[in-house]
């Protein structure tokens, strides 16, 4: 029974405190009550904390988008459920292919289907293997960034800042209690002064004594509220001053993230550089085949289309990049030996198919396109693109 009485009294006291805070807050909003302002240093710390939280959330969310762009909502939900199930079973969830790895697998499978011995099939397999390596590097970047960058940012938002928010809310309540106590003291003093102005008589003397006791009680409440407010302000201030340490920690995490990105892009660049050495210059290859198909298939026309203008511009760039050896060979009437750099499948009967590292004889004939030479291998001959050749001394 005593416990129940205590709970009822505590509930009534809490309800009274809540009502007092609500009244004080409402009167402040209406301009009918005074408000204790925080000192400038505390206000600056509060503003810095809010700014840190705001931008940390934005950076964290956009980093997640960068590492996993446009994730499927259904797939993401399924993955989260799967991870939850495996976590409950105390087992590691199986890793699934990311986009570069999936593309690489499709390329490898299609290359094997077309035939590894063909130029296109072989190129698809090489590209697929490179895409898989890029996928592995992408997976490593995501894992490193999650551990070294995203996790510290998330820990701040879900841990440190929640603590700051909780203490800040307590500080706001202590301020409302202090201002409510000040308001009661002000009203008690005003009532005491009015009672003192009236004629002195036994009833009025009793009123003066009552209001004097009320003033004394209100002053005691103000002192207690001021002490609690100062204590909570100091606790909040100490937490907020830790934001500078948070910035220093996030700076180290940012350096780790930049280093992980640098490693990732350097790996991707090296993978593509190796692939380019195997396949040759893709733009030049496309241009050579495009020029050949245009000269053999397209009817002559006096109208210049936008694609023809682009092709002409690219042709001029390719021509300017041709070596002096090819220029000399085209201007002379003799022939030279040349080593084939990459496999090449003839587009039609006028061209000669090539195999990497074989040596053929090449020469120029009048009226031939600047990107092509005539090639001979035994009894076989046909046009070959110069971008696939390396002249030998």
């Amino acid at each position: 029974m005593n416990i129940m009485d205590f709970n009822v009294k505590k509930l009534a006291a809490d309800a009274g405190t809540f009502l007092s805070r609500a009244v004080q807050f409402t009167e402040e909003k209406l301009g009918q009550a005074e408000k204790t302002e925080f000192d400038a240093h505390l206000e600056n710390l509060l503003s810095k904390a809010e700014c840190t939280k705001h931008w940390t959330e934005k950076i964290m969310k956009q980093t997640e988008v960068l590492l996993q762009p446009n994730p499927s909502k259904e797939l993401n939900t399924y993955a989260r459920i799967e991870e939850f199930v495996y976590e409950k079973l105390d087992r590691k969830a199986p890793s699934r292919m990311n986009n570069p790895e999936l593309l690489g697998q499709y390329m490898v499978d299609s290359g094997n289907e077309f035939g590894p011995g063909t130029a296109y099939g072989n190129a698809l397999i090489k590209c697929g293997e490179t895409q898989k390596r890029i996928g592995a590097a992408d997976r490593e970047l995501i894992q490193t960034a999650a551990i070294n960058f995203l996790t510290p940012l998330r820990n701040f938002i879900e841990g440190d800042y929640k603590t700051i928010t909780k203490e800040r809310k307590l500080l706001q309540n202590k301020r409302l209690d202090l201002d409510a106590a000040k308001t009661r003291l002000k009203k008690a003093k005003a009532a005491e002064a009015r009672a003192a102005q009236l004629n002195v008589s036994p009833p009025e003397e009793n009123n003066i004594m009552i209001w004097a006791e009320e003033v004394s009680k209100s002053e005691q409440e103000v002192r207690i509220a001021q002490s609690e407010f100062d204590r909570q302000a100091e606790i909040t201030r100490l937490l907020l001053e830790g934001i500078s340490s948070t910035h220093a920690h996030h700076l180290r995490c940012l350096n780790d993230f930049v280093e992980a990105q640098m490693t990732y892009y350097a790996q991707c660049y090296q993978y593509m550089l190796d692939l380019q050495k195997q396949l040759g210059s893709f733009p030049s290859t496309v241009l050579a085949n495009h020029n050949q198909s245009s000269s053999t298939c397209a009817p002559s026309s006096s109208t210049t289309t936008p694609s023809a203008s682009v092709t002409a511009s690219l042709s001029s760039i390719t021509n300017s990049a041709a070596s002096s050896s090819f220029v000399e060979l085209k201007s002379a009437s003799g022939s030279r030996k040349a080593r084939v750099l990459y496999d090449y499948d003839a587009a039609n009967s006028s061209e000669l198919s090539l195999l990497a590292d074989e040596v053929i004889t090449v020469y120029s004939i009048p009226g031939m396109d600047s990107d092509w030479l005539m090639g001979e291998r035994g009894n076989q001959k046909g046009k070959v693109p110069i971008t696939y050749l390396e002249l030998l001394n």
Side-chain angles (χ1 to χ4, degrees):
M1 190 67 178
N2 293 335
I3 296 177
M4 183 176 293
D5 290 341
F6 174 77
N7 289 337
V8 171
K9 290 179 180 179
K10 184 177 184 302
L11 181 62
D14 291 343
T17 301
F18 176 79
L19 180 61
S20 175
R21 290 171 181 171
V23 171
Q24 178 65 28
F25 182 80
T26 303
E27 290 180 349
E28 288 177 358
K29 290 298 182 182
L30 296 175
Q32 299 174 357
E34 295 181 359
K35 176 182 176 181
T36 299
E37 300 292 343
F38 300 141
D39 61 77
H41 178 58
L42 184 57
E43 288 286 0
N44 289 336
L45 291 175
L46 289 169
S47 177
K48 185 177 181 180
E50 289 180 355
C51 183
T52 301
K53 183 253 186 183
H54 171 75
W55 288 111
T56 299
E57 280 185 331
K58 281 186 171 292
I59 292 172
M60 184 178 67
K61 290 179 181 179
Q62 194 57 38
T63 302
E64 291 174 343
V65 172
L66 173 68
L67 297 176
Q68 190 180 5
N70 302 322
S72 169
K73 184 177 180 180
E74 293 78 8
L75 182 61
N76 194 32
T77 302
Y78 172 77
R80 289 182 181 275
I81 294 175
E82 185 183 49
E83 289 175 0
F84 176 78
V85 172
Y86 275 94
E87 183 180 352
K88 291 300 180 183
L89 296 176
D90 196 20
R91 294 175 58 186
K92 183 179 180 181
S95 60
R96 58 176 60 82
M97 286 186 174
N98 55 27
N99 290 334
E101 289 174 328
L102 193 58
L103 174 60
Q105 189 60 51
Y106 288 161
M107 286 183 169
V108 171
D109 292 344
S110 62
N112 288 325
E113 185 75 19
F114 295 144
T118 65
Y120 183 45
N122 188 29
L124 279 171
I125 292 174
K126 290 177 180 178
C127 289
E129 294 297 338
T130 299
Q131 289 296 330
K132 286 184 176 181
R133 296 171 72 186
I134 291 176
D138 188 62
R139 189 185 302 278
E140 184 177 353
L141 171 64
I142 292 175
Q143 183 178 5
T144 303
I147 295 173
N148 296 338
F149 187 60
L150 288 177
T151 298
L153 298 186
R154 188 174 290 107
N155 287 342
F156 168 74
I157 296 297
E158 298 178 357
D160 295 348
Y161 193 78
K162 279 190 174 181
T163 302
I164 290 174
T165 302
K166 177 183 176 182
E167 296 300 329
R168 182 178 179 179
K169 184 177 180 181
L170 286 175
L171 178 62
Q172 179 71 1
N173 289 337
K174 296 300 181 184
R175 185 197 64 76
L176 289 172
D177 291 344
L178 174 60
D179 289 337
K182 289 180 177 179
T183 300
R184 287 193 296 272
L185 175 59
K186 184 178 180 180
K187 291 180 178 178
K189 286 184 175 181
E192 182 187 28
R194 286 195 300 271
Q197 291 175 357
L198 298 176
N199 294 329
V200 178
S201 60
E204 298 301 336
E205 288 179 357
N206 290 336
N207 287 338
I208 294 175
M209 292 177 62
I210 292 173
W211 283 116
E213 292 177 359
E214 186 67 25
V215 168
S216 178
K217 180 181 176 182
S218 298
E219 287 176 343
Q220 179 66 16
E221 290 178 352
V222 169
R223 284 193 293 270
I224 294 174
Q226 184 70 57
S227 176
E228 292 180 353
F229 171 78
D230 292 341
R231 178 177 175 276
Q232 186 59 40
E234 185 62 24
I235 293 174
T236 307
R237 182 181 293 106
L238 290 174
L239 285 172
L240 292 172
E241 287 175 347
I243 293 292
S244 297
S245 299
T246 299
H247 284 189
H249 177 53
H250 288 180
L251 175 59
R252 292 192 295 270
C253 297
L254 181 61
N255 287 332
D256 292 340
F257 178 56
V258 170
E259 185 175 349
Q261 281 189 303
M262 182 182 67
T263 302
Y264 168 73
Y265 289 119
Q267 287 177 329
C268 292
Y269 174 75
Q270 187 60 48
Y271 295 156
M272 297 310 296
L273 196 62
D274 294 341
L275 178 62
Q276 188 184 42
K277 289 179 181 178
Q278 298 177 56
L279 300 181
S281 175
F282 179 72
S284 298
T285 304
V286 174
L287 179 61
N289 290 332
H290 180 73
N291 288 344
Q292 175 61 19
S293 61
S294 298
S295 62
T296 56
C297 301
S300 60
S301 174
S302 59
T303 304
T304 303
T305 63
S307 60
S309 301
V310 173
T311 302
S313 300
L314 291 174
S315 297
S316 64
I317 296 173
T318 305
N319 293 339
S320 64
S323 66
S324 59
S325 298
F326 283 110
V327 174
E328 293 175 0
L329 177 60
K330 285 182 172 294
S331 62
S333 58
S335 61
R336 293 276 296 276
K337 293 291 185 180
R339 184 174 68 87
V340 178
L341 299 175
Y342 322 105
D343 292 347
Y344 177 74
D345 283 341
N348 51 55
S349 58
S350 67
E351 298 180 7
L352 180 66
S353 295
L354 303 174
L355 295 175
D357 294 327
E358 71 172 329
V359 178
I360 63 174
T361 302
V362 293
Y363 56 90
S364 179
I365 60 176
M368 179 170 284
D369 190 280
S370 60
D371 293 330
W372 297 79
L373 288 172
M374 288 298 296
E376 288 188 1
R377 183 201 308 113
N379 296 328
Q380 298 177 326
K381 66 177 181 179
K383 294 192 294 184
V384 294
I386 63 173
T387 53
Y388 281 70
L389 303 174
E390 179 186 18
L391 290 180
L392 302 177
N393 294 328

